[in-house]
Amino acid sequence: MLKDITLGQFFPGNTLAHRLDPRTKLMVTVLYIVALFCAKSFVSYGVMALWLVTAVQVSKVGYKALVKGLKPVWFIIVFTAVLNLIYIKGTPLVTIWKFTIYREAVETAVFMILRIAMLIMGTFLLTYTTSPIRLTDGLETLLSPLKKLHAPVHELAMMMAIALRFIPTLIEETDKIMSAQKARGADFESGGLLQRAKALIPILVPLFISAFRRADELATAMECRCYSGGEGRTKLHVLRFAAKDYLVLALAAVLTAAVIVLGRMGL
Amino acid sequence: MEPIMRVENLSHVYSAGTPFQKGAVRNVSFDIMRGELLGVIGHTGSGKSTLIQHLNGLLKPSEGHIYLAGKDIWENPKEIRNVRFRVGLVFQYPEYQLFEETVRADVAFGPKNMGLSGEELEQRVRHAMEDVGLDASYLDKSPFELSGGEKRRVAIAGVLAMHPEVLILDEPTAGLDPEGRENLLRCLKSYQQKRKSTVLMVSHSMSEIARFSDRILVMKDARVLMCGTPEEVFSRTEELETAGLNTPKAARIALALRKRGVELPESIFTMEALVNALAAKKGGGGVC
């Protein structure tokens, strides 16, 4: 049950989208988000949709997985759309009971839905095609100029990598503890909100203890191998830009520029 | 002896309908007799842990039935919590589930969930602590200041305090030193005999199983390979070895001696029995 949670899950594969340098993918994603927020109307949204569809086709991730990723946020999407429908005024379209729906409101609502859905699908595509290790690697390299400002970039990347690594372990642990407490008659399914919150104590206490124990053991193991932070540390897999990376980046830059121009023109 | 639990054609499939589909238990049938200590042995991944989680209803069988005192435990799914009180399950490394501030409160967690309180609750906690060989001075300590072996005993006491009709333990001695193992096993055996309780114990160690079990269930590749008294099981030494399970040392020595022409009965599987048999042969009759 707990194992079914998807948390930026990685689908292994060997498509162009998988082989791209993680830095390229990160930068393209940032450009994509910028462009998405500059899109104003049908034409520019069309360009964005084309961009997303192409990326999905190339990655072979499949639309089913992407739409599944929308599940936790569809409430927010609907909520935003409804608010927009009610509050935006302009040319009246229809009147239902006391509410008048305006043409502009419908347009904005549709664009809002598209924007949030495409934003999430685009970023999910990044995590679907990039393993967490490569993602943190790329992030660390991209942010490395900040080291000049004494920002602990390597440490942050290491923390992120460790956190991602331990998510499945802790989920498994939670499952085990839950079963053990259920075997002693713990009841997680009935009772009011307060009672249910209280029922979580027998899970949370052992879970915290084991998380701290694991952290302690990991720290000792890292020290035993003389880990001392990012200073002078080399990488097993050094990231290198290839021709395809420059090509994809250039394409993304052109698309972003095009969408910004189109947006300015009100299209 | 009558069976207290009966497992009938039990199968369990993980991740049914996906490419990861895997049968963890396949068509398993056996009985647990009232008052016996049944040892379950098998390789890692032979389905032991999946099997025992079915016995108290933590997992629901994909196929087959489990009967407790003649009644299917899934007859009324809403009553499954009661089954968990009647069939106590101690997981592997149970010390990791301790969570209360005092040992007393932690041991009382199970019986409290059953709705007990007051004097009865206190009595049960004290008795359970006695059963695992810890005295009353532990009751007010924090479970987190105890040693590993003591924590394990407290965790087991937490299940014993529910007075289960059947007690199931998944590798109760894993990770303990030889002395801790010995003590714990003696406690469990005396608990079984004193309280006339039924115990099912999963273990990796053939010697442990051989010494303490009344009957043995051998699992291999999600199926039951054999089930019977230690004499019956260990007389099939060669079969066990081809299944990749090591037999108790004494049984192996006896087999090697038999092969060299020493006449020994097939039912030898403890060091004690072997020494006695050899001494008898020598004619001296002395027991060390």
Side-chain angles (χ1 to χ4, degrees), chain A residues 1-6 9 168 171-172 175, chain B residues 14:
Chain A
M1 49 191 159
L2 277 172
K3 281 176 193 146
D4 300 334
I5 298 172
T6 49
Q9 209 181 34
I171 288 179
E172 203 178 296
D175 245 3
Chain B
Y14 278 119

Side-chain angles (χ1 to χ4, degrees), chain B residues 79-130:
Chain B
E79 293 292 303
I80 200 69
R81 201 159 155 242
N82 275 331
V83 173
R84 292 185 189 144
F85 296 132
R86 294 172 62 192
V87 182
L89 175 58
V90 179
F91 274 84
Q92 217 172 344
Y93 298 106
E95 57 271 29
Y96 292 150
Q97 27 151 311
L98 299 175
F99 69 97
E100 281 283 7
E101 283 168 48
T102 64
V103 169
R104 176 184 279 113
D106 210 290
V107 175
F109 181 66
K112 233 184 192 163
N113 284 332
M114 297 169 76
L116 296 174
S117 60
E119 192 54 33
E120 160 99 40
L121 186 66
E122 178 70 17
Q123 280 302 322
R124 281 196 175 208
V125 171
R126 282 172 185 276
H127 279 152
M129 289 293 281
E130 270 169 38

Side-chain angles (χ1 to χ4, degrees), chain A residues 94-108:
Chain A
V94 278
T95 308
I96 305 161
W97 187 45
K98 270 191 225 163
F99 296 104
T100 310
I101 306 274
Y102 302 92
R103 217 177 79 89
E104 285 79 0
V106 176
E107 272 178 24
T108 323

